[in-house]
Structures are given as structure tokens and as C-alpha cells.
Amino acid sequence: MPELSETPNLHAHYLHNPLLPTVLPIQQWKGTPVDKQGNFVNHEFPFNADWRDLLKWQLESNPHRTEKKKNAWQLPVRYEHEWLHHKADCIVWLGHSTFFMRLNGITMLTDPVFGNASLVVRRKAPFPLNPALFQNIDLVLLSHDHRDHCDTASLQLLAKQNPNARYFCGLGMQALVKSATGSNQIQTAGWYQQFNTGNLPLQCYFVPARHWAKRDLFDTNKRLWGAFVLQTNTTTIYFSGDTGYGNHFADLSRIFPQIDYCIIGVGAYKPEWLMYSNHISPANALKAFRDLKAQHFIPMHYGTFDLSDEPLYEPFFYLQEQRTNPEWKDALHLPAAGEAIWV
């Protein structure tokens, strides 16, 4: 396999969790890159959060402002939750980046956010069920520390209802997750590392994403962001977390050549001059799906929180139109929040 894509002369050193195996040999992967200030960096495209860019965006006029105010579209939501008590393998989108999954009898939640993401970022679509119903959850997967993906109140509820749950996340996330859950079952991984799932019939890997991290004023990129690959003897699922488009999708297709379901964000991409480096548009998400050579595509990260300039409905209608193309008809899924996809 060729060397993975990387921006040269950027990284001061590399980190990994010495207690977890790395799935690539040292000749191909030195570890998760860190800069001279001790901050994690994207291994291909560096990204530095600049308050001046944020200010410029806030001062700009949103060309979609009138359109957003007029349109009353709301994300479709299904409130039946028979899948919760079923035994069959399934993937259930619950809005934004929260999924319930069952594989080989193992139950998982990704990036659980059951209510508002913050006092400012309010939920636009209701959560499909009472989150207190989540019991006996085996794994909680946290892609990064942003509040619309890692919510303290949701983690506290999960910890109370699921005292034996294990939490898988990136390097540097230990203290944050511990403070919310009190759990001693937290594993942090570098990119291309495999989590220890013990006797569970499932493999779980942490892989690169093109994004960044920040929760408070002075912690930019102190915690690692990433994506997950889940594997059983019959099914492989890729969950992107938050990511911009990059060569990491093609890299992953060579390391995991038989991805059945890829779950990729398709919202919060405008204005593109600001968002392209850390979020992905619906068009580029389809391109990433091709790069991954996956069989099925499930979009996420739209319709739930208003995080950017585009209207909430724009990703949905764009992808709905793409389904008229025979290339996408059977591969592209557009489930309602709370609707199960049986795998």
C-alpha cells in the first residue's frame, strides 16, 4: 500500500495510545500528528480556527436569509421505536450525528445529543424517543468535543441509565468524558488505532477526519477528532463524525476495502469559503462515498441544528433529487429520524 496522504514539514511529533494496536505499520503511519504547540492537526490539510474568519462571516449578509425565514420545512421524524427492542442488526438515525446501531447484538450510540446543543444552538427537530429508554447500551462513540456532538447532559443521562457502557473517543478526551459520566471505562485512541472491545463480537477503529476541536476559550485542538469504522464478520460501517473533503476517504478504501454502509455529514457547509475545510457539502459527500467504494450511503448532520447559512432543507432536497439517478437509487438512503435501516 502506498504512503498515506500527508502535508509534509508540518508536524513536530506523533502520538498514539500505547495500550492499543495501530492497524498500519510504522513505515506507513507514524502516529497522530501534533504541532510544536502540542495541538493536534489534520495530517493532510492544516486548519487553524481564526476568530477573524468567524467575525467576517457574522458580518456578511446571508444570501439565504429570506429563504430560510419563509420555508417551514421540518425534518421528518418517526416516533415508533420497535427497533429498540428488536434483535436484528440495524442503523437508526436519530437526528444530527446521533445514531443507534445494533451489530451482532452489540448496541451503540454515536455522538449522543438528546436536546439542544447549547443555549444558542436550539434543536429544530424533536428527538424521536424518550432517551431514558436507552438502557443496556454497550458502546458510546464520540467523534470529537464540539457541543453538538459531545453533550454533557446527554452523557450524564446515559451514564445513569447505562452504568456498564464503554466510551470510545480520541486522544485527549478522557477528562471531558470522565467529568460527564464518572465512568472508568473510557478508551482514547489515535488515528488508525483499534479499540479494545474485549469479548464483544465487534471490531472498532478510530480513523482520520478533516476537522478541528474546541470547547472552551483556550482548548483549541487539544482533543483529537476522528471517525469510526465498525466491523463484524458480515458488516462494515463507516461513521464520519464531522469532516471536510479530503484524500482520507480514498486512503480508507484501501485499508477497509469492503465498506457496506458509510454515514457522512451533509450539512453546515455554507459559506463554503469558511466551512469547506471542516464540513462537507452533499455533492462532496457523494464524491466521498465513491472514494470509499461503499455499498450504501446514509447522510447525517442536517435538519436538526441551524449551524450555517444554507437552509435546513437544502441537503435533503438535493439528495432526494440525486435519487432519481439510477446510480444512486438503491445506494442512497434518506431515512426519517427514528426510522430503522435493517442491515
Side-chain angles (χ1 to χ4, degrees):
M1 178 180 156
E3 287 282 333
L4 300 182
S5 308
E6 183 173 11
T7 301
N9 304 320
L10 173 68
H11 313 135
H13 60 283
Y14 300 85
L15 294 178
H16 67 282
N17 183 342
L19 300 178
L20 298 178
T22 299
V23 298
L24 295 175
I26 189 66
Q27 296 88 347
Q28 293 175 347
W29 183 251
K30 301 172 187 176
T32 303
V34 178
D35 66 16
K36 294 178 181 178
Q37 288 73 45
N39 301 323
F40 293 108
V41 292
N42 293 314
H43 74 290
E44 185 182 9
F45 298 104
F47 174 77
N48 294 309
D50 192 329
W51 65 268
R52 290 168 295 187
D53 287 338
L54 182 61
L55 181 61
K56 176 185 174 183
W57 173 39
Q58 294 301 311
L59 293 176
E60 282 183 345
S61 176
N62 181 358
H64 300 283
R65 187 183 305 276
T66 301
E67 186 181 359
K68 290 176 77 168
K69 287 183 177 180
K70 285 183 178 180
N71 195 291
W73 179 87
Q74 192 172 45
L75 181 71
V77 178
R78 283 191 57 183
Y79 296 99
E80 300 85 1
H81 47 270
E82 71 285 350
W83 43 265
L84 189 60
H85 308 291
H86 212 284
K87 293 185 178 181
D89 289 359
C90 64
I91 301 171
V92 186
W93 184 43
L94 300 171
H96 203 54
S97 299
T98 305
F99 281 81
F100 171 88
M101 301 186 204
R102 185 186 296 105
L103 291 175
N104 269 359
I106 308 306
T107 54
M108 294 162 278
L109 285 171
T110 66
D111 290 356
V113 180
F114 303 144
N116 299 320
S118 70
L119 292 175
V120 177
V121 181
R122 314 292 289 180
R123 199 173 189 96
K124 302 296 185 181
F127 199 74
L129 73 161
N130 181 350
L133 294 173
F134 289 127
Q135 298 184 23
N136 301 313
I137 297 295
D138 295 299
L139 301 176
V140 179
L141 312 181
L142 298 166
S143 66
H144 64 296
D145 68 0
H146 287 164
R147 294 177 188 272
D148 60 319
H149 294 258
C150 182
D151 175 61
T152 299
S154 300
L155 289 176
Q156 288 173 337
L157 176 62
L158 277 177
K160 181 179 179 181
Q161 298 289 118
N162 303 270
N164 295 319
R166 308 180 198 183
Y167 300 84
F168 290 175
C169 45
L171 296 173
M173 289 281 288
Q174 175 92 21
L176 175 61
V177 179
K178 175 79 171 180
S179 67
T181 65
S183 176
N184 292 317
Q185 300 190 77
I186 302 167
Q187 291 183 38
T188 62
W191 289 332
Y192 293 119
Q193 289 203 278
Q194 181 178 355
F195 292 99
N196 180 5
T197 53
N199 59 358
L200 298 180
L202 174 83
Q203 291 81 50
C204 181
Y205 306 88
F206 201 57
V207 295
R210 183 185 177 186
H211 201 57
W212 63 300
K214 186 178 182 66
R215 199 168 177 89
D216 298 307
L217 284 176
F218 304 108
D219 62 354
T220 302
N221 294 344
K222 296 299 184 184
R223 305 179 189 94
L224 183 61
W225 54 94
F228 292 90
V229 174
L230 302 162
Q231 281 190 321
T232 68
N233 56 349
T234 59
T235 306
T236 299
I237 297 174
Y238 166 77
F239 172 80
S240 74
D242 271 0
T243 185
Y245 182 76
N247 290 320
H248 56 288
F249 295 112
D251 290 340
L252 286 168
S253 74
R254 295 191 291 269
I255 301 166
F256 301 98
Q258 294 181 322
I259 296 174
D260 297 289
Y261 292 86
C262 74
I263 302 170
I264 303 176
V266 296
Y269 56 92
K270 287 184 178 179
E272 292 199 39
W273 66 263
L274 177 66
M275 299 295 187
Y276 79 96
S277 60
N278 53 84
H279 289 141
I280 194 166
S281 69
N284 277 337
L286 289 173
K287 186 178 178 183
F289 169 63
R290 286 196 189 100
D291 291 347
L292 288 164
K293 301 177 181 177
Q295 298 299 309
H296 299 273
F297 172 36
I298 304 172
M300 65 169 179
H301 202 271
Y302 74 95
T304 311
F305 299 117
D306 189 359
L307 300 171
S308 54
D309 281 0
E310 82 274 0
L312 287 176
Y313 59 80
E314 188 171 278
F316 178 84
F317 287 144
Y318 176 87
L319 293 172
Q320 192 175 54
E321 183 178 354
Q322 299 307 305
R323 291 186 76 185
T324 62
N325 184 332
E327 179 184 3
W328 304 118
K329 182 180 178 182
D330 296 324
L332 173 56
H333 302 264
L334 285 173
E339 179 182 355
I341 295 174
W342 303 101
V343 302

